[in-house]
Amino acid sequence: MNLLPTTTRGDIAELQPRVAVLPVGSFEQHGRYLPLITDTAIACTIGQAIADAYPVHMLPPITMSCSHEHAAFPGTVSISAKTLYAVIDDIRASLARSGIRKLVIVNDHGGNYVLSNIVQEANVDGPAVSLFPLSADWDRARDHAGLVSDRHADMHAGEIETSILLHAAPELVRDTDADHDGGPRPFLLVQGMSAYTESGVIGFPSFATAGKGNAVLASLTDSFADHLKVLGATSWHGGLGEGG
C-alpha cells in the first residue's frame, strides 16, 4: 500500500479543495503479527477512502505520536503531546495561507488525547477542525460490519484493526497472535499496556476478516459526511463549498 498521496499541484488546482484531511497514526507495537506502522496504515486507508468519495485535500500522515503507554514493548517510538500539538498547529497555519481553513484530523491511535484539546481550541471562533472517527463513528462501523467484539474488549491489534488491514493491505498481516481479553484497565495511564497484556494484544484478531474491514471502511466513509456538514462544508455539484 502507498501511505503517501500522489496528487500533483495540477490536481489540487483543478479540485480546489476547501477541506484538508490529515491522517495521524503512530509507530508502536501491535503484537508480533501486525507492523509498527499499523495505526498509520489504517489512518491513511481511512483517509484515502474519504478522498475517493469527497473532494478533499489528502495530506501525508503524521507517523509518530503519543504512544507512551506502549513504551515497555520493543520498537515503539513516541513524541510528546506538545510536539504533536505544535506540528498540527503549523500544518493548519500553512493550509490557511493557501486558502484551506477547514481540517479533519483522521486519528487511529487512542492515546492521542491531545487531539481533542486541539480541536476544541481550534473551534472557539467557529467550526474549523473536526476529529474523525469519533466513538459514535466507530460504533456505527462495528455494527455495520457485524463485528463480534466491542471497543473496550477489542482495544488494540484485535478484530477491527486486523480486519481493516486484511482488506486494505493483507501483505502487512502475519500469522495472528492469540486473542487476549485485557479485562478492566483502571490504571492504564499509570501502568501502561504491559500491565494488562504480555503479548501486546488486547483484542480478538481471530475474528478478523477482509469482508469486515471493507464494511468498516464503507461505514466510516458515509459517516464522514456529517463531519463536513458540521464544519460548514456543503455539497454542491459533487464538490464542497465553504459554508457560512
Side-chain angles (χ1 to χ4, degrees):
M1 69 178 302
N2 186 2
L3 299 180
L4 300 176
T6 58
T7 47
T8 66
R9 82 178 229 194
D11 295 330
I12 299 302
E14 181 178 353
L15 187 64
Q16 295 187 345
R18 292 295 178 265
V19 178
V21 170
L22 175 63
V24 178
S26 71
F27 195 72
E28 67 185 32
Q29 71 84 23
H30 278 75
R32 292 183 176 273
Y33 67 98
L34 295 182
L36 296 166
I37 64 164
T38 290
D39 288 344
T40 300
I42 291 175
C44 288
T45 296
I46 296 170
Q48 189 57 56
I50 290 167
D52 289 343
Y54 305 92
V56 298
H57 184 17
M58 174 73 169
L59 303 176
I62 295 176
T63 59
M64 295 182 187
S65 58
C66 305
S67 300
H68 304 90
E69 71 273 28
H70 296 273
F73 296 93
T76 297
V77 179
S78 292
I79 61 176
S80 69
K82 64 179 179 289
T83 297
L84 183 57
Y85 180 103
V87 169
I88 293 177
D89 198 45
D90 283 353
I91 290 170
R92 285 189 61 220
S94 181
L95 286 168
R97 285 191 290 272
S98 67
I100 299 178
R101 294 179 172 82
K102 306 288 187 178
L103 175 67
V104 179
I105 300 170
V106 176
N107 176 51
D108 192 60
H109 173 50
N112 289 332
Y113 306 109
V114 69
L115 295 180
S116 295
N117 297 114
I118 290 172
V119 171
Q120 286 177 320
E121 183 176 334
N123 293 318
V124 168
D125 296 321
V129 181
S130 188
L131 184 60
F132 182 80
L134 299 175
S135 296
D137 300 316
W138 282 121
D139 288 340
R140 192 178 302 117
R142 283 182 173 276
D143 290 343
H144 178 73
L147 268 64
V148 176
S149 56
D150 60 31
R151 277 192 298 121
H152 176 79
D154 197 54
M155 173 191 178
H156 189 71
E159 182 180 14
I160 193 166
E161 290 190 315
T162 307
S163 290
I164 292 171
L165 289 186
L166 283 174
H167 165 67
E171 69 278 6
L172 297 182
V173 182
R174 304 183 187 182
D175 292 338
T176 59
D177 283 336
D179 296 345
H180 175 69
D181 184 346
R185 300 180 287 277
F187 296 108
L188 178 65
L189 295 180
V190 177
Q191 297 174 307
M193 287 281 289
S194 61
Y196 303 100
T197 172
E198 293 183 3
S199 67
V201 175
I202 296 179
F204 301 89
S206 68
F207 297 148
T209 69
K212 291 177 180 178
N214 184 39
V216 165
L217 288 173
S219 176
L220 292 177
T221 302
D222 287 343
S223 294
F224 186 77
D226 293 335
H227 291 256
L228 295 179
K229 183 178 180 180
V230 78
L231 285 175
T234 56
S235 179
W236 115 99
H237 297 306
L240 294 176
E242 191 79 16

